[in-house]
Amino acid sequence: MTRILTGGLGRTDVARIVQQLGLDGIDVAESDDMGAAVELRSGRADCYLGTCHTGAGASLGVLVGVLGSGACHTFGRAVPQENQVAALLAAGVKVFGFAVDRIEAVTPVIVRAVAGAHGAPGLRAP
């Protein structure tokens, strides 16, 4: 099971979208940044999706401080491609920040890449 934590201003919306994707093997929970840092560092979570107005500052500050900049990446207001996210995951990034006005576009891209990187079996049957 791959555990994704959501945080920041849009954490509830991000968690809802992750659930709506219906990917087997993906568990999602809302968190605060400090709790997420502890969970990620201990291996009890695999990924964190943080949101704020810019996607850079408040969404990742504590996580950069605790986990280091190499484990964190911000897309800001950009919408990444799945292959970009996959490359970041392969390089050890597990914390992603993005702007709240990009939640609908960015969340599915990141979550599908995470599912692929962690071997999640795919979409559940309706």
Side-chain angles (χ1 to χ4, degrees):
M1 181 67 67
T2 299
R3 187 160 189 237
I4 297 174
L5 302 176
T6 67
L9 293 174
R11 71 175 150 234
T12 300
D13 291 333
V14 173
R16 175 186 46 80
I17 292 168
V18 173
Q19 290 171 338
Q20 288 174 346
L21 287 170
L23 295 171
D24 285 334
I26 298 291
D27 177 46
V28 64
E30 292 180 38
S31 181
D32 59 52
D33 50 2
M34 187 53 101
V38 171
E39 294 286 311
L40 288 163
R41 193 169 210 185
S42 70
R44 293 188 301 257
D46 302 290
C47 183
Y48 175 82
L49 307 181
T51 52
C52 68
H53 289 293
T54 65
S59 67
L60 302 182
V62 169
L63 289 131
V64 169
V66 173
L67 301 175
S69 61
C72 304
H73 180 82
T74 180
F75 292 110
R77 298 193 70 246
V79 178
Q81 297 295 314
E82 195 171 319
N83 63 339
Q84 292 172 293
V85 179
L88 289 164
L89 290 164
V93 173
K94 52 180 136 185
V95 175
F96 297 95
F98 50 99
V100 292
D101 66 343
R102 300 292 193 249
I103 288 173
E104 297 283 336
V106 175
T107 303
V109 174
I110 295 175
V111 173
R112 286 188 176 109
V114 169
H118 288 264
L123 296 173
R124 288 193 289 254

